[in-house]
Amino acid sequence: MTGTYSKVYLVDDDADLRAATAQWLELAGYQVEVFCDAPSALAKLDPELEGVVVSDIRMPKMDGMEFLARLNRLDPDLPVVLITAHGDVRMAVAAMRQGAYDFLEKPFEPERLLEIIQRASEKRRLVMENRDLRRRLNGSRNIEQRLIGNCPAMRRLHREILDIAATEAPVLIQGETGTGKEVVAHCLHDFGTRHDNRYVAVNCGAIPENMVESELFGHERGAFTGADRRRIGRFEYAQGGTLFLDEIGSMPLPLQVKLLRVLQEREIVRIGSNEPLPIDIRLISASNTDLLAECSAGRFREDLYYRINVVELRVPPLRERGADILLLFDYFVTRAAASYQRPAVSLPPAAANRLMAHNWPGNVRELKNVAERFVLSSLPTANDSRQLRRFVHDGELLFSAGVAAAA
Ligand SMILES: Nc1ncnc2c1ncn2[C@@H]1O[C@H](COP(=O)(O)OP(=O)(O)OP(=O)(O)O)[C@@H](O)[C@H]1O
Ligand SMILES: [Mg+2]
């Protein structure tokens, strides 16, 4: 017996029989947890148990039939093997009828129990694999709800994200401002294997140059003037999880050298310390400028570029997404209407055409702002297209004046 799906929950009030059976099963390679009654087994039970339950029927507190019924409610696919008293055919039949996987009459040959458990574990393994598969399928549906878009480029991006999320490769996300790079980064984390650990985002462009190093790597107390206590850096904080370096292109050149070293050595040293700390993070970076062009201009190190860019994801500008503009508009209108408790009015064709024709320099962020203003301005109604046309036009004016882009 190897690997998972080899757990057995053994419930029996007879201490001797329990110990002897547990020993047998352990010798056969099973991981056994013993319980003297059903309630204590129920209290500990993991509904995703990668294994089977073996239980006596006649027990104080809760009998095996009641236990079976409760387990069935928790997970009808969990195999339960019941042990009946010798000759108690009526009970055995009832157990099978109620969904027990199998039953065994006392006294039983240990080999016989092993045989049954082996089959039951195999069945459990198949059920759990199936569930996992279904979960992943749901994952692909979920990503469509997180990163809205139906055009071929966005559909491809969905697939790429799900494929890449499962790996450890560093990813560079490139795309104009407001295209959804941060959403993509978060999806990579959430759909990946590190989703139970932290997702830590750092905007390299928003931290003062002299603070970036301490922000990323941390510092010891007294490392520099003003360092009055030890600080854990973002790398350390993201241990076991994902670190998202946003606007990586704005990282100062001297720090790029340090970052490269950290990525090569897979360890950091807090400022003011000599002690290297091993780090285990998945790195995702993003840039809204063409990083390769930044390399040519001498503003970004080429060696670092190739380190962070093992996989590259491009998020297309909104103007190239066709009908997704209206899809996204509807999505943001619905959300804004719900959160501001306003009616979600639909867009008349004339206004829709204006949205489609617009160039969207601020991309999805700009569209989101227009949608929110559309909901908030209580003026437009579904049949007042002139007002709407003016509204969308005003929206454009607002954006070209740079007012809404700051929102
Ligand atoms: N496909 C999408 N589906 C749903 N919401 C989206 C989508 N793309 C972007 N958004 C939303 O649009 C806004 C801007 O997206 P985001 O912050 O990810 O852009 P960005 O590419 O990181 O921009 P910047 O380069 O300016 O940092 C956010 O509110 C985000 O939730
Ligand atoms: Mg961003």
Side-chain angles (χ1 to χ4, degrees):
M1 216 34 246
T2 49
T4 53
Y5 304 100
S6 54
K7 291 192 184 128
V8 176
Y9 267 30
L10 177 65
V11 191
D12 200 320
D13 59 322
D14 179 336
D16 292 339
L17 193 68
R18 200 168 61 225
T21 313
Q23 199 180 15
W24 251 94
L25 292 174
E26 271 162 5
L27 280 174
Y30 288 95
Q31 236 174 291
V32 186
E33 288 219 37
V34 292
F35 302 92
C36 59
D37 55 43
S40 49
L42 279 170
K44 182 104 196 278
L45 188 85
D46 168 10
E48 299 277 293
L49 179 72
E50 293 179 340
V52 303
V53 176
V54 177
S55 172
D56 190 16
I57 288 192
R58 260 176 236 282
M59 293 185 295
K61 292 193 186 169
M62 184 191 291
D63 72 13
M65 297 305 282
E66 168 73 16
F67 183 39
L68 172 66
R70 298 223 187 179
L71 290 173
N72 258 333
R73 279 201 292 275
L74 279 176
D75 179 356
D77 294 320
L78 181 64
V80 181
V81 179
L82 288 177
I83 298 174
T84 62
H86 176 63
D88 199 345
V89 181
R90 199 181 46 82
M91 190 68 100
V93 171
M96 292 306 280
R97 234 184 236 145
Q98 279 200 29
Y101 177 78
D102 210 340
F103 70 92
L104 207 56
E105 261 181 74
K106 269 187 211 172
F108 54 84
E109 290 297 321
E111 286 86 356
R112 180 83 188 100
L113 178 62
L114 276 180
E115 239 171 67
I116 295 177
I117 291 181
Q118 208 165 3
R119 270 191 288 117
S121 305
E122 179 58 16
K123 177 174 178 241
R124 182 63 172 169
R125 188 178 65 78
L126 291 176
V127 164
M128 297 307 269
E129 275 176 8
N130 220 311
R131 275 189 199 169
D132 195 46
L133 212 70
R134 242 181 297 148
R135 235 173 248 155
R136 266 188 281 164
L137 264 174
N138 283 339
S140 67
R141 269 196 286 279
N142 282 338
I143 200 161
E144 286 158 22
Q145 283 154 20
R146 291 271 301 272
L147 189 66
I148 308 296
N150 235 331
C151 67
M154 291 306 283
R155 287 193 159 274
R156 190 169 54 243
L157 189 59
H158 290 155
R159 278 198 305 276
E160 282 175 334
I161 291 171
L162 290 178
D163 285 346
I164 297 166
T167 73
E168 292 282 300
V171 184
L172 175 65
I173 308 167
Q174 301 225 68
E176 291 177 14
T177 180
T179 45
K181 295 184 294 297
E182 170 108 41
V183 183
V184 170
H186 220 135
C187 286
L188 281 170
H189 173 77
D190 288 348
F191 293 103
T193 49
R194 294 170 172 260
H195 63 89
D196 283 335
N197 295 319
R198 287 200 183 96
Y199 165 83
V200 179
V202 187
N203 187 338
C204 304
I207 307 165
E209 205 171 311
N210 60 339
M211 296 292 292
V212 191
E213 189 176 354
S214 140
E215 183 73 22
L216 290 182
F217 309 130
H219 62 244
E220 294 294 337
R221 185 167 173 224
F224 46 81
T225 328
D228 48 9
R229 57 194 177 98
R230 170 193 273 182
R231 187 181 194 291
I232 299 293
R234 295 303 179 122
F235 267 88
E236 229 179 309
Y237 192 61
Q239 190 72 276
T242 303
L243 181 68
F244 174 47
L245 295 180
D246 203 358
E247 289 188 39
I248 194 162
S250 61
M251 187 176 276
L253 274 166
L255 201 69
Q256 290 179 25
V257 183
K258 288 190 179 147
L259 177 62
L260 180 65
R261 201 175 315 128
V262 164
L263 298 178
Q264 279 165 344
E265 311 289 329
R266 304 205 138 266
E267 54 188 34
I268 57 153
V269 180
R270 295 192 197 117
I271 305 175
S273 161
N274 290 318
E275 208 178 313
L277 298 164
I279 50 137
D280 166 32
I281 52 130
R282 203 244 172 114
L283 184 74
I284 301 176
S285 322
S287 170
N288 55 27
T289 52
D290 181 358
L291 269 194
L292 213 48
E294 293 293 296
C295 289
S296 312
R299 286 189 292 264
F300 201 81
R301 290 185 63 104
E302 212 172 319
D303 44 9
L304 180 59
Y305 174 79
Y306 288 108
R307 260 283 154 184
I308 62 171
N309 186 14
V310 176
V311 181
E312 181 170 321
L313 288 179
R314 284 197 169 268
V315 191
L318 186 58
R319 62 184 169 280
E320 290 174 12
R321 298 191 208 170
D324 276 5
I325 294 175
L326 297 180
L327 184 72
L328 276 161
F329 187 80
D330 270 352
Y331 168 78
F332 290 127
V333 162
T334 311
R335 282 188 28 164
S339 68
Y340 301 127
Q341 298 181 329
R342 302 262 173 140
V345 262
S346 58
L347 204 62
N353 286 341
R354 288 197 65 88
L355 291 183
M356 294 287 284
H358 184 51
N359 188 40
W360 302 109
N363 293 295
V364 184
R365 182 179 295 117
E366 181 183 354
L367 180 71
K368 186 177 176 204
N369 285 338
V370 170
E372 283 177 357
R373 289 203 149 88
F374 173 64
V375 169
L376 282 175
S377 62
S378 49
L379 285 175
T381 59
N383 48 21
D384 192 353
S385 71
R386 217 186 35 185
Q387 293 271 30
L388 266 170
R389 217 173 302 140
R390 228 188 54 214
F391 167 77
V392 174
H393 186 64
D394 286 350
E396 278 184 32
L397 288 181
L398 278 173
F399 278 96
S400 50
V403 179

